[in-house]
Structure formats: structure tokens, C-alpha cells
């Protein structure tokens, strides 16, 4: 067996988006940090986030209002303590990002004083969204990447895939992780005092998604296999407006466009959102996505249209330069014509259960960002609370890790990875076929609108696929596609089982067999607990 490299560190952070890099920078002055990135360091969902980050900066706004709006959007399932904690720490988190150099948009008021430009998005009662034009995530990601590359205590491993967490025998403590180099194609071992999962969500489990390829639910699956509980996996947010064009897959049209006056229209040019909700285009995402889905199915249409062309061209170019350029590249001038859009899987509201310190059920294991279930989002994430959650809970995790660091020893003599009984695969077609089948039945049976029959069919297929994939995994050396598929099928099963448990429609979970929302609010999350292995 080839001798395996080891990368001992104080803190292993798996994931390199806003959550992972924020945590690394908060820790690095006091700890040796290793950041693992499955792709290039910049790649991930943060890079593609357009709208912005919610925080109370306007004197006419209030933390109480931010809390209230979030609770309403969450449809009765938010954890009030988590919402209050997040809103109270929002401004502090944004000021930390500003200190790192994130260039949020500013303007001069009538007195010549510079102020941050705040926009408004669906579900918000005030303008409270800090943004960098329509590419906020890109500005955040580039800024944080620049900072971590300069810090001597942060080691970066790009194009490395985490395989599994290493725990002690009773799975009460996390000791590190097995990682796989995509370039060397070798498994290595990372002993760590603490491990933080910051791997993002699982929207790649669906055929159509606004997420980049790396969003394959790795952290959720690894935590589940290690023995962590997960919660609220039935609540998958479908962003209402993804560009519908064969030459532009996975391109999101920010909700901020509707916040700045864009209308959703049928193919005949008529508006339809006022027929579904008094908030019209500014209704929460679950309402808008279902309305679009309903209109497309009713009309047999391939898409609907988002129209901001009634606004002045200069206004559009100033606020939405990225969207304008992208649409123009495929022949659409958004200053003159509407944008064809469809819903796409966008955000995983559930995840690995954590407390307000970002701690999971396993000692020394943390989860931050979209991989985690904090209770902030409930049954539907409100716009621009996601990047906020990343930074707020990264700061909370950093405070707790630094408090525990002096009393936590570095694990020793971790078991090496054994691949003596496996060989190189000569059947990659199996992975390709299973991958397509999984994402297709998840889209058809576990999408925006569900039924028990569809969910039961999906569960049956997921269980069969899981057996096939596990058998394949046990006989062949790991590869990127195999590792992602192994994780995706776990996440698919968790989503389906969670959806089958909820006998109502609420927020992002809509079941035609249970179309009504129960009066008692079912305010506890849907929790799944791993069976002992």
C-alpha cells in the first residue's frame, strides 16, 4: 500500500465559499488552518450569488422588522432564537466584510455623506440588502480569497475532495478526514483538532439547478454517515427565475431585479403574480416559484418572462451589469425585451443540525452555511439571508473553537485508507447512467409540486440506486464522479424521507395530497436520526 501523506492541523475546513473562508480568517491569527476546496478556490455557490446580504443599516429599519420578515417567510418553522441571533449579529458581520475590503455599493446623500446603497427583495419590508451591483457573491468571494492567500497560517488545498470524516469508535468525536487529490489521484489523511463542514448545499441532486457543479451535498452526506442528525431536508428552494436559454445553463436572474420593478409575464405579455398573491412579484420565493410552475403547466409553456424593459436603460445598466452582459451574449437586450425564465433548484434549507455555536452532534465537528440547519430559514429561506448566515455563524464557530482550542489535543495514529482490495474502474458508464437517473427522478417526483405516490416511487428508486452505488464503491478506486454520486444518493434519500413525513403543505414543501397548512404549525423541524451502523 502506498504511503499516505498526512496534513495535521488545528482546524480542517472543508469548503471554500463565504462560510469556510470567513471561518479561516477568523481563526488564522491563533490556529493553523487547512482549507480544502473541491475545485478552484474561487469556485462555489458564493461566487454566483447576485442579490446581496441582508442587514439593518437604515435608520428607518429595525432588527425586530428583519426578524419579523424572516419568521413570516419561514412559514412558521423558523427557530426564533436563531433568527434573533442572526439579525442581531448581521451588522457586525457586514462590518467585518467591509473591513476585509468587500466593495459594497455606496452613494452620496444630499449632505455629501457616503452611505451604503440598500435594495429590497421579496419578503423584506424595508430596503436592507447591501450589494455590489448584481454580483455581490463574486465581490465577497474574490475579497476573501485574496485575504486567505496572504495569511501565513492558512494552508490551501485546491482540487481535493473530502471522502469521509474520521471519528472515534463510538462516533462521539471527530478526529479528522480522508481526502482525495484529484490531480495525484491518491487518498490522504488529515488529523485535526477540529473539523468544519462548509460544503454548501445539495441542489445538484436535481436535473435543473442554478448552482455550480460542486454543490453535491457532500457535507450533509459525510455528516450523516458519521452519525449526525439532519433536519428539514424536505424544504428545497427553487429560485423562481433562472435564464431559460440553451446557451446559458445555470444562470440565475437575481430577485433584486423584481425588487427594482421587474414584472413576471405570461407569453402573451400579461402579468400573473397579482392573481396569486397581493405582494405580486415581491412575494416570497416559494409562492413565486409555484405560480410560475402552475402557469407553465397550465399553458404548456416552456418558460415565462421577466420584464424590466420599462425602466430606463441607464438604470438597468447601473444596477444589473452582469445580467445585462450575460443576456446580451446570447442575443437578449434586457433594456428592450423580456427575459425568458424558469424555476431551478437553488438552495437547501435543511441540513446538518447545529446549535448557535455551529456545533453538530459530534464533538469537535462544526457545520456552517448552506450545509447546516441552524433554524434560520424554516420552511422557506428569505432572500439575502444565506450569505448573512455564512458569516454570522462562521464568527460564532470561530469564537467557540478558539475557546476550546487550548484543551484539545491533536489526534494521533489515525487509521490509514485501505484500497488494497479495489481496482480501477472499467465501467464509468454505470456512474453516468445512475447520475442521470437520480437527478431526473428527483426533478420529476420530488420537485416544486409533490404527491405521496411520486415520493414513494422516488424512494424506491433511490434505495435501489444506493445499493448499486455502494456495491460499485466497494469494488473500485474512488473518482470525483463516484464520490459525488455516492453523496447525492444519500441526500436524495434524506430529502424524500423527510418529504414523506410531512403531512401538510408548508413553505417550499407542497404536496397535492395534503394541500392545506396545519393549524398547529408543526413548528418543530423534521429531524432524521442515523441508524446505528
Amino acid at each position: 500500500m502506498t504511503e499516505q501523506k498526512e496534513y495535521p492541523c488545528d482546524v480542517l475546513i472543508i469548503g471554500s465559499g463565504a462560510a469556510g473562508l470567513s471561518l479561516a480568517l477568523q481563526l488564522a491569527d491563533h490556529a493553523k488552518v487547512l482549507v480544502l476546496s473541491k475545485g478552484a478556490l474561487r469556485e462555489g455557490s458564493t461566487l454566483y450569488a447576485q442579490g446581496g446580504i441582508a442587514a439593518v443599516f437604515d435608520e428607518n429599519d429595525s432588527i425586530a422588522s428583519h426578524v419579523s420578515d424572516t419568521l413570516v417567510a419561514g412559514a412558521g418553522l423558523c427557530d426564533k432564537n436563531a433568527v434573533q441571533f442572526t439579525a442581531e449579529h448581521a451588522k457586525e458581520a457586514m462590518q467585518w466584510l467591509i473591513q476585509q475590503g468587500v466593495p459594497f455599493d455606496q452613494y452620496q446623500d444630499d449632505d455629501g455623506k457616503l452611505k451604503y446603497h440598500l435594495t429590497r427583495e421579496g419578503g423584506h419590508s424595508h430596503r436592507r440588502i447591501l450589494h455590489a451591483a448584481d454580483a455581490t457573491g463574486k465581490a465577497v468571494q474574490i475579497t476573501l480569497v485574496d485575504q486567505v492567500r496572504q495569511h501565513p497560517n492558512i494552508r490551501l488545498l485546491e482540487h481535493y475532495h473530502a471522502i469521509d470524516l474520521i471519528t472515534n469508535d463510538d462516533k462521539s468525536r471527530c478526529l479528522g478526514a480522508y481526502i482525495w487529490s484529484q490531480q495525484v489521484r491518491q487518498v490522504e489523511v488529515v488529523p485535526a483538532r477540529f473539523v468544519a463542514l462548509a460544503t454548501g448545499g445539495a441542489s445538484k441532486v436535481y436535473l435543473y439547478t442554478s448552482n455550480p457543479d460542486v454543490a453535491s451535498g457532500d457535507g450533509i452526506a459525510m455528516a450523516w454517515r458519521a452519525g449526525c442528525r439532519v433536519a428539514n431536508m424536505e424544504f428545497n428552494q427553487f429560485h423562481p427565475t433562472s435564464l431559460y436559454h440553451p446557451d446559458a445553463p445555470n444562470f440565475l436572474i437575481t430577485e433584486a431585479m423584481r425588487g427594482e420593478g421587474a414584472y413576471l409575464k405570461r407569453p402573451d405579455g400579461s402579468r400573473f403574480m397579482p392573481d396569486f398573491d397581493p405582494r405580486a412579484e415581491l412575494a416570497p420565493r416559494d409562492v413565486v416559484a409555484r405560480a410560475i410552475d402552475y402557469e407553465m403547466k397550465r399553458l404548456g409553456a416552456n418558460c415565462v418572462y421577466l420584464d424590466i424593459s420599462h425602466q430606463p436603460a441607464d438604470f438597468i445598466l447601473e444596477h444589473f451589469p452582469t445580467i445585462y452582459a450575460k443576456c446580451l451574449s446570447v442575443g437578449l437586450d434586457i433594456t428592450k425585451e423580456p427575459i425568458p425564465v424558469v424555476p431551478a433548484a437553488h438552495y437547501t434549507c435543511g441540513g446538518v443540525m447545529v446549535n448557535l455555536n455551529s456545533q453538530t452532534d459530534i464533538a469537535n465537528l462544526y457545520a456552517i452555511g448552506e450545509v447546516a440547519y441552524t433554524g434560520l430559514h424554516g420552511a422557506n429561506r428569505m432572500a439575502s439571508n444565506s450569505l448573512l448566515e455564512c458569516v454570522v455563524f462562521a464568527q460564532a464557530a470561530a469564537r467557540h473553537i478558539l475557546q476550546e482550542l487550548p484543551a484539545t489535543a491533536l489526534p494521533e495514529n489515525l487509521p490509514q485508507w485501505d484500497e488494497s482490495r479495489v481496482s480501477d474502474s472499467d465501467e464509468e458508464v454505470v456512474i453516468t447512467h445512475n447520475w442521470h437517473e437520480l437527478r431526473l427522478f428527483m426533478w420529476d417526483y420530488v420537485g416544486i409540486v409533490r404527491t405521496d405516490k411520486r415520493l414513494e416511487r422516488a424512494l424506491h428508486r433511490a434505495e435501489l440506486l444506493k445499493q448499486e452505488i455502494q456495491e460499485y464503491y466497494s469494488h473500485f478506486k474512488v473518482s470525483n464522479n463516484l464520490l459525488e454520486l455516492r453523496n447525492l444518493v444519500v441526500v436524495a434519500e434524506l430529502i424524500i424521507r423527510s418529504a414523506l413525513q410531512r403531512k401538510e403543505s408548508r413553505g417550499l414543501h407542497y404536496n397535492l395530497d395534503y394541500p392545506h397548512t396545519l393549524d398547529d404549525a408543526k413548528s418543530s423541524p423534521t429531524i432524521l436520526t442515523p441508524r446505528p451502523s
Side-chain angles (χ1 to χ4, degrees):
M1 186 167 61
T2 306
E3 185 175 344
Q4 294 164 14
K5 287 184 183 178
E6 286 200 2
Y7 295 97
C9 59
D10 292 324
V11 186
L12 167 63
I13 300 172
I14 303 173
S16 60
L21 298 186
S22 294
L23 178 61
L25 289 167
Q26 299 271 345
L27 292 171
D29 287 345
H30 307 282
K32 295 290 185 182
V33 179
L34 177 64
V35 176
L36 202 72
S37 179
K38 190 162 69 171
L41 195 61
R42 283 177 49 174
E43 183 64 16
S45 293
T46 297
L47 185 72
Y48 299 97
Q50 294 175 2
I53 310 178
V56 174
F57 271 69
D58 191 321
E59 59 189 18
N60 296 316
D61 196 3
S62 68
I63 290 173
S65 177
H66 189 179
V67 169
S68 176
D69 290 346
T70 301
L71 293 174
V72 170
L77 282 191
C78 295
D79 181 303
K80 292 182 181 179
N81 290 332
V83 176
Q84 185 73 33
F85 177 82
T86 306
E88 286 179 350
H89 288 85
K91 189 170 185 178
E92 171 194 347
M94 293 309 95
Q95 288 170 332
W96 180 81
L97 284 178
I98 291 165
Q99 290 169 5
Q100 304 310 304
V102 176
F104 292 116
D105 284 6
Q106 295 178 283
Y107 71 98
Q108 279 191 337
D109 65 12
D110 294 339
D111 298 325
K113 185 178 178 181
L114 273 179
K115 290 188 173 181
Y116 288 101
H117 182 270
L118 305 173
T119 190
R120 183 181 172 192
E121 297 182 351
H124 291 274
S125 58
H126 293 80
R127 286 182 172 264
R128 65 168 68 100
I129 315 300
L130 282 82
H131 62 100
D134 61 346
T136 307
K138 184 176 182 180
V140 170
Q141 186 71 12
I142 289 174
T143 300
L144 295 181
V145 166
D146 287 346
Q147 292 291 338
V148 297
R149 287 198 186 281
Q150 296 174 34
H151 204 293
N153 277 355
I154 300 176
R155 183 171 186 177
L156 306 169
L157 292 181
E158 298 180 78
H159 304 285
Y160 270 78
H161 200 304
I163 302 175
D164 267 319
L165 299 169
I166 304 171
T167 62
N168 58 356
D169 291 341
D170 65 359
K171 292 189 173 182
S172 63
R173 180 187 172 196
C174 187
L175 307 175
Y178 296 112
I179 65 175
W180 179 74
S181 167
Q182 297 173 27
Q183 295 169 332
V184 181
R185 304 186 72 80
Q186 180 176 318
V187 177
E188 294 156 6
V189 183
V190 181
R193 298 184 186 190
F194 301 92
V195 176
L197 298 170
T199 53
S203 287
K204 197 175 178 179
V205 76
Y206 288 101
L207 188 60
Y208 301 110
T209 174
S210 65
N211 286 190
D213 280 346
V214 293
S216 52
D218 303 325
I220 296 171
M222 284 190 292
W224 175 258
R225 287 193 294 266
C228 292
R229 292 172 299 162
V230 300
N232 278 22
M233 291 298 293
E234 70 268 38
F235 297 111
N236 313 103
Q237 188 173 77
F238 290 80
H239 196 286
T241 53
S242 180
L243 176 61
Y244 177 73
H245 196 282
D247 296 331
N250 299 357
F251 187 75
L252 192 73
I253 306 297
T254 176
E255 187 163 353
M257 187 170 280
R258 283 181 280 129
E260 297 296 343
Y263 298 130
L264 280 163
K265 296 181 177 181
R266 302 179 180 96
D268 66 3
S270 61
R271 288 178 66 193
F272 58 86
M273 278 310 303
D275 299 338
F276 290 87
D277 193 282
R279 292 164 291 187
E281 281 79 7
L282 289 178
R285 288 177 177 176
D286 60 322
V287 176
V288 179
R290 276 199 304 276
I292 294 172
D293 182 71
Y294 177 85
E295 288 295 316
M296 287 172 58
K297 287 176 177 173
R298 183 178 72 85
L299 298 170
N302 292 323
C303 63
V304 296
Y305 294 86
L306 185 66
D307 192 359
I308 199 169
S309 62
H310 52 277
Q311 295 281 34
D314 289 347
F315 175 89
I316 296 170
L317 291 172
E318 178 186 356
H319 285 80
F320 307 108
T322 305
I323 296 173
Y324 174 80
K326 181 65 176 181
C327 289
L328 200 62
S329 73
V330 295
L332 291 168
D333 185 346
I334 67 173
T335 66
K336 299 176 181 177
E337 56 190 323
I339 307 167
V341 294
V342 292
H346 181 61
Y347 193 87
T348 307
C349 285
V352 183
M353 291 189 71
V354 297
N355 61 17
L356 295 182
N357 291 322
S358 298
Q359 293 172 279
T360 70
D361 293 328
I362 299 175
N364 302 347
L365 178 65
Y366 297 74
I368 313 160
E370 193 175 351
V371 67
Y373 167 78
T374 63
L376 172 64
H377 306 308
N380 180 30
R381 177 179 71 85
M382 190 167 67
S384 291
N385 271 351
S386 54
L387 290 178
L388 174 63
E389 182 184 42
C390 289
V391 184
V392 167
F393 280 85
Q395 291 181 329
R399 286 192 293 267
H400 194 264
I401 289 171
L402 292 176
Q403 178 183 316
E404 299 293 318
L405 190 63
T408 306
L410 182 69
E412 297 179 349
N413 302 317
L414 297 188
Q416 296 292 293
W417 181 264
D418 184 6
E419 56 180 28
S420 60
R421 301 178 185 178
V422 298
S423 60
D424 290 315
S425 170
D426 58 357
E427 290 288 340
E428 284 287 324
V429 67
V430 174
I431 296 177
T432 304
H433 177 83
N434 287 351
W435 190 298
H436 180 73
E437 181 183 350
L438 173 67
R439 299 179 75 202
L440 183 61
F441 75 64
M442 286 297 291
W443 183 261
D444 287 342
Y445 296 155
V446 200
I448 296 172
V449 177
R450 302 159 177 176
T451 66
D452 275 359
K453 182 176 284 188
R454 292 176 194 170
L455 292 172
E456 286 162 2
R457 286 173 176 168
L459 181 60
H460 178 66
R461 283 161 173 75
E463 289 172 337
L464 291 175
L465 274 182
K466 191 176 178 182
Q467 291 174 10
E468 284 185 22
I469 293 163
Q470 185 56 39
E471 182 180 353
Y472 189 98
Y473 177 80
S474 65
H475 286 89
F476 297 110
K477 291 182 179 180
V478 298
S479 67
N480 187 70
N481 287 343
L482 175 57
L483 290 171
E484 288 193 340
L485 181 60
R486 176 177 177 245
N487 291 332
L488 280 174
V489 76
V490 170
V491 171
E493 184 181 6
L494 294 174
I495 291 171
I496 299 163
R497 290 190 183 280
S498 297
L500 281 166
Q501 285 190 22
R502 186 162 291 278
K503 305 302 183 183
E504 64 169 345
S505 289
R506 184 182 295 274
L508 300 167
H509 173 72
Y510 191 83
N511 188 328
L512 290 173
D513 294 321
Y514 306 96
H516 302 295
T517 301
L518 296 177
D519 292 336
D520 66 0
K522 288 285 181 182
S523 56
S524 59
T526 306
I527 300 172
L528 299 180
T529 303
R531 303 182 187 94
S533 55

